[in-house]
Structure formats: C-alpha cells, structure tokens
Amino acid sequence: MSEEFEIRNKVAESGLVNFDLSTLIPKGVRKGIDLKDFLFQEMILKEKDFREKVEAIDVHEYEDAYIYIYNSVDTIVPLWAYFVLTAKLTDVAKKIVFGNREDLEVILMHNVIQTHDFEEMRGKRVLVKGCSDKEIPENAYIELVEQLKPLVKSLMFGEACSNVPIVKN
C-alpha cells in the first residue's frame, strides 16, 4: 500500500490517554443486611433477641464481601446496634457501610479514587470515557476531576470522536 493511501489512527498518534473510570470499580460481591430482620416483629429492637440473631449470623456468607447495612422499616434503632452488627462482620468483610447499595458504591469509588496513583497522567492529555456498561456514581466523576485537574495538560470527557473539553492547563 502506498504511503499516500495509508490508514492512520490519528487518535493513537495524538498522545491522548483514554481513561475508563469503570476500571477502578472494586471487584467483589455486594451484600445488603436489612436491620428489620433483627427486630422483634420487624418493629422493636430487643437487645437480647437482637444479640442472639447477630450471633447466629454465618459470617462465611459475608467473607470478602462489600456490605451495606440498611433499615427498610420506620423504626428507631440505637447506634450500639450498628456497632454489634459491624463487630460481628468486620473480620471477614472487605468493607461495611450504613446506607443503601448506591451509598456503598459512592464510598467504594471515593476510597479507590483517593488512593489511586494518577501520576502516570501528569502532563498528558486525558480523555475520560463517557460511556460504560457499568454503573458509576456521579460523585466519582467529580472526585476524578479533583484528582486530575492539577496533574494533566488537558482533560476531556466523552469519546475520541466526540468529546467535551473540561480543563486546559
């Protein structure tokens, strides 16, 4: 093939770094624990009953899992109950949070973005992938910009063929 008709990948030649935020999503099982299952008639926390139910938990079910503890009924639960439940699972779980599944994902992404080494992107033109088949909390994009803005030469969002400029240093 002659050079005048050679097919070139201009995106690859541009020095643009494509970054897919979904690659940072921690891998592992997510499990929810509903506190209503530990309450008397799903309404009242009786300390003795609560402690017995917590003691009966098979911790192996939660081994290496990301756990979110929530309460699906409108009842008051004393704070010590969360201590007791968390103490039971903390040795086997990867992470335990209070809230729903979305809250768990926000916290997991926060932790990974705050600890990830983005130094390899220093002084580079970075394009953050806009589409993903995995759900990513919006807050993760905000935190990513906070981390990348001081490092990169330029920051864009979207796809190589259609992107939105965000920052130019």
Side-chain angles (χ1 to χ4, degrees):
M1 180 181 271
S2 72
E3 281 189 34
E4 82 182 70
F5 295 110
E6 181 179 339
I7 297 173
R8 295 176 35 211
N9 185 338
K10 291 182 180 180
V11 173
E13 293 174 359
S14 71
L16 192 64
V17 175
N18 286 296
F19 183 72
D20 183 352
L21 189 54
S22 72
T23 62
L24 296 184
I25 296 172
K27 292 175 180 27
V29 174
R30 275 74 165 153
K31 291 192 173 199
I33 297 176
D34 190 347
L35 282 176
K36 79 171 175 67
D37 299 332
F38 295 82
L39 305 175
F40 176 72
Q41 295 181 346
E42 297 184 349
M43 294 176 17
I44 301 166
L45 189 142
K46 289 184 169 181
E47 183 176 354
K48 183 179 179 206
D49 294 346
F50 179 81
R51 287 183 180 274
E52 287 172 359
K53 288 179 181 179
V54 169
E55 192 57 39
I57 292 174
D58 179 6
V59 294
H60 298 295
E61 278 185 52
Y62 299 96
E63 205 159 345
D64 293 326
Y66 296 103
I67 300 171
Y68 55 100
I69 300 170
Y70 64 101
N71 187 2
S72 65
V73 293
D74 188 21
T75 190
I76 297 171
V77 175
L79 286 176
W80 62 260
Y82 301 104
F83 278 64
V84 171
L85 186 54
T86 301
K88 175 73 175 186
L89 299 169
T90 197
D91 292 335
V92 296
K94 286 185 179 178
K95 180 75 177 166
I96 304 169
V97 303
F98 174 79
N100 58 30
R101 170 75 185 259
E102 292 78 27
D103 296 328
L104 172 66
E105 297 303 330
V106 167
I107 291 168
L108 292 178
M109 289 304 290
H110 167 80
N111 290 347
V112 76
I113 289 169
Q114 295 302 312
T115 58
H116 186 77
D117 182 7
F118 292 103
E119 194 59 37
E120 64 190 32
M121 296 182 194
R122 183 174 293 283
K124 302 220 171 123
R125 298 173 62 232
V126 178
L127 173 64
V128 177
K129 185 176 178 181
C131 297
S132 177
D133 58 346
K134 298 177 183 167
E135 200 166 319
I136 300 171
E138 286 86 356
N139 196 61
Y141 290 100
I142 291 169
E143 292 193 51
L144 182 65
V145 172
E146 286 181 320
Q147 293 295 315
L148 293 181
K149 183 181 178 202
L151 292 176
V152 300
K153 180 178 182 180
S154 64
L155 181 62
M156 296 160 277
F157 177 81
E159 303 300 324
C161 61
S162 170
N163 62 65
V164 178
I166 307 298
V167 173
K168 195 167 200 155
N169 293 328

